[in-house]
Amino acid sequence: MIVAAEDFDRQTLSHALAGLESRCFGSDAWTCTTILEELAAPARTYIVDVDDAVPAGTSEAEASDRPEKIRGYAGFWFDGDDAELMTIAVDPRSRRQGLAGSMLRQLIDRARVLGARRMLLEVRVDNVPALALYHGFGFTRFGLRRRYYQPEGVDAYVMALGLAPRTAGFSPSQGDSTPEVPRRMSSDPPRGGGRDEGNDGSGIEG
């Protein structure tokens, strides 16, 4: 089941997610401190997927506070106009079960409730499974950031999904074709704000 990150004790959650990050991203994983700062930052929305195979009689609140049951997490930053997908990660032991798609769907719904005009993300050009997932949700490619992913120097596509109803007769201006996507970069190590799990696309599933 998917629950809001704020349903957890923040310290407990940050430690659990640091372990998940290490399993998903290796040397590029966010540290416990970075995660704690990100969860506490303003205008962030994070959700956590928790294994619902918990003992009978366990309440949803109790289940969400079991860090060993965390299978994945994802979140975005809402700047008052656009929702920027910050990360999406699924534990290697829980992949190919549709968890990434379920979390992305919920983030999209929450961004709509907040009044976001669209959701933006960056994705490696060679991450075929992630691209398939995003295309399946209706994201379209409209920009390219060259050598965005370091140290490999891999390019990133900028993708967007419109969330707000378009006014009749309105069309985006030419200057709107490649916006400056927010890039919250951690200090250890630096990287772009939008992340999709696995440099080779492993673990991103619909």
Side-chain angles (χ1 to χ4, degrees):
M1 62 183 168
I2 297 175
V3 295
E6 56 261 32
D7 290 346
F8 289 80
D9 171 78
R10 193 172 288 165
Q11 288 283 353
T12 301
L13 179 60
S14 63
H15 282 285
L17 293 183
L20 175 65
E21 280 271 328
S22 181
R23 292 190 293 276
C24 291
F25 298 109
S27 61
D28 197 33
W30 284 347
T31 66
C32 183
T33 299
T34 299
I35 295 169
L36 191 59
E37 292 173 350
E38 176 66 13
L39 294 175
R44 299 302 201 271
T45 296
Y46 275 88
I47 56 175
V48 179
D49 185 281
V50 182
D51 188 352
D52 53 9
V54 296
T58 302
S59 69
E60 182 172 316
E62 291 171 331
S64 69
D65 203 29
R66 295 166 61 95
E68 74 278 9
K69 293 293 185 178
I70 292 175
R71 300 185 298 182
Y73 87 115
F76 65 79
W77 170 29
F78 179 50
D79 65 2
D81 189 20
D82 296 323
E84 163 74 357
L85 185 66
M86 300 298 288
T87 193
I88 182 166
V90 176
D91 192 296
R93 300 168 295 188
S94 300
R95 291 174 179 171
R96 309 304 172 192
Q97 299 178 39
L99 303 184
S102 295
M103 290 190 292
L104 181 57
R105 183 176 299 106
Q106 187 157 140
L107 288 182
I108 291 170
D109 289 344
R110 292 184 181 223
R112 282 198 174 101
V113 170
L114 289 175
R117 183 167 63 96
R118 58 189 175 175
M119 180 169 281
L120 305 176
L121 60 85
E122 292 104 352
V123 57
R124 289 172 63 111
V125 298
D126 57 358
N127 194 334
V128 177
L131 287 166
L133 174 68
Y134 298 141
H135 280 305
F137 274 85
F139 283 86
T140 57
R141 195 177 76 209
F142 67 95
L144 179 70
R145 298 193 186 282
R146 296 194 180 280
R147 298 175 293 280
Y148 184 75
Y149 289 97
Q150 297 297 327
E152 304 97 324
V154 178
D155 295 346
Y157 290 131
V158 182
M159 304 184 74
L161 173 68
L163 302 179
R166 178 173 295 180
T167 303
F170 173 79
S171 61
S173 66
Q174 292 298 317
D176 194 42
S177 59
T178 309
E180 184 59 33
V181 179
R183 291 160 61 169
R184 200 281 295 155
M185 304 181 94
S186 69
S187 58
D188 43 304
R191 62 186 167 192
R195 300 187 306 159
D196 43 82
E197 160 195 353
N199 289 346
D200 62 352
S202 60
I204 293 292
E205 79 285 355

